[in-house]
Amino acid sequence: MNATNLPKITVVTPSFNQGVFLETCIRSVLDQKYPKLEYFVFDGGSTDASVDILKKYSSRLTFWTSEKDRGQSDAINKGFRKATGDIVAWLNSDDFYTPGSLAALAEAWQSRPGAPFYYGDGVRVDETGREKSRFFSDGVVPFDRRSLAYGLNYILQPATFMD
C-alpha cells in the first residue's frame, strides 16, 4: 500500500472495564497495518486488566490514557479533539474491524473524495466473537437521506467513518 495518496485515519476507542474485549479491539485496528493510522484509546479509569493491555500495546498506540472521565461521549470527544486525520471514527472497545477495513475505507475515500462520511457492512457476533449474522444480508444499502431522517437504522456505527 503506497502511503503517498492515502488519507490519514484517526480511530478513537473509548473504554471502561472492558478488558475482556479490549485486546481484540486494539489488535483489530493495529493489525490493519494501515500506514497512516492515528490511534487513541481513552480508558475511563478501569479497575480490570485494561491498563495492562494498554501498556502492552503502548508503543503502537498514538496516545492512550486511563483516568476518570464523564463516560463514553466524553472519551470520544477527547479523541476527536486530538485527531489530526483526514477521516475520523470511533470504535467501541467491544467492537472490532475485520481485516482490510481501513484499506477499503481509503479506497472509498480516493474514489469519492469529500463525502461527509463513509459506511460499510458489519458482522454481528456473540460474546465469544463467533459470527451470528451480517448487518447487510444483500450488500451495503445505498445512502438515502429520507430513510435516515425517518429512523431507518441502516448505518452501523462501528463501520462508519467521517471526513
Side-chain angles (χ1 to χ4, degrees):
M1 195 178 310
N2 178 357
T4 307
N5 298 323
L6 294 176
K8 183 176 185 181
I9 300 172
T10 301
V11 177
V12 176
T13 294
S15 187
F16 180 65
N17 284 334
Q18 293 286 305
V20 68
F21 302 110
L22 184 59
E23 187 165 15
T24 298
C25 175
I26 290 172
R27 287 186 56 110
S28 81
V29 176
L30 297 176
D31 289 352
Q32 300 284 319
K33 294 186 175 36
Y34 188 78
K36 295 176 86 172
L37 174 67
E38 180 176 66
Y39 188 27
F40 305 128
V41 180
F42 287 85
D43 177 78
S46 293
T47 57
D48 64 359
S50 295
V51 173
D52 291 332
I53 294 165
L54 290 166
K55 287 177 181 177
K56 178 179 176 179
Y57 292 95
S58 65
S59 67
R60 298 178 62 199
L61 300 172
T62 306
F63 176 85
W64 72 272
T65 187
S66 180
E67 61 189 16
K68 186 166 175 51
D69 59 24
R70 294 180 315 221
Q72 179 186 34
S73 297
D74 184 40
I76 293 166
N77 284 318
K78 285 178 183 178
F80 283 178
R81 283 191 294 273
K82 283 184 86 62
T84 63
D86 301 299
I87 299 170
V88 298
W90 84 88
L91 184 67
N92 293 323
S93 51
D94 61 349
D95 292 326
F96 59 88
Y97 290 143
T98 56
S101 295
L102 298 185
L105 168 62
E107 187 176 303
W109 184 84
Q110 289 170 332
S111 67
R112 299 198 45 102
F117 67 97
Y118 304 86
Y119 65 98
D121 198 356
V123 179
R124 290 185 179 97
V125 299
D126 65 17
E127 58 279 348
T128 67
R130 191 184 63 188
E131 184 173 329
K132 292 169 47 176
S133 65
R134 303 288 303 186
F135 191 71
F136 300 121
S137 58
D138 297 324
V140 176
V141 176
F143 181 74
D144 180 340
R145 185 184 313 264
R146 184 177 171 92
S147 294
L148 190 61
Y150 284 101
L152 178 62
N153 182 15
Y154 67 92
I155 298 177
L156 184 64
Q157 176 273 313
T160 301
F161 302 84
M162 297 159 281
D163 196 342

